[in-house]
Amino acid sequence: MVERDAVYIVNLDQATLVKLPRQNDGTAGDAVVLAGPDCETLGGADGLARAPDGSFVIAVNRQNKVVRVDADGAVHTIVSGAPLDFPATVAFRGSTLFATNFAFANASAGKPATPGLLRVGETL
């Protein structure tokens, strides 16, 4: 996710949320881990969005959940389980949070899969 002063990155294998600051001359500064490594809460982190309150929202596909990361790095589960099916992307339209179901794990295992777009809820 690109913002004016930094690029924010999630690493699904390292279970981290990382800030890569942008220097005044446009070069990258030193990477700063904002949350993680924590495979229990962020293992499989994929899609990333900034919530209206400034926190981060992350789709954690391997765990079928969507989490919020506060400024202090605390991770809170917003929603988990059905109807999520390997969520891959999160986005806000105004104060409403949406998530996509990539449905990869179930489809790859020959199980019923539910790809699609979900309305998760209002501002968290």
Side-chain angles (χ1 to χ4, degrees), residues 25-112:
D25 65 359
T27 61
D30 293 332
V32 177
V33 175
L34 301 178
D38 184 352
C39 290
E40 187 174 315
T41 59
L42 293 174
D46 194 356
L48 174 65
R50 178 79 83 162
D53 70 359
S55 64
F56 293 94
V57 174
I58 301 171
V60 185
N61 54 33
R62 290 185 198 155
Q63 299 181 42
N64 281 331
K65 68 182 180 180
V66 175
V67 301
R68 182 184 77 243
V69 178
D70 295 334
D72 65 358
V75 179
H76 309 276
T77 299
I78 296 168
V79 61
S80 64
L84 294 175
D85 187 358
F86 209 84
T89 302
V90 288
F92 281 90
R93 182 165 189 216
S95 62
T96 303
L97 175 63
F98 293 88
T100 61
N101 274 344
F102 184 46
F104 177 75
N106 284 337
S108 296
K111 298 177 183 177

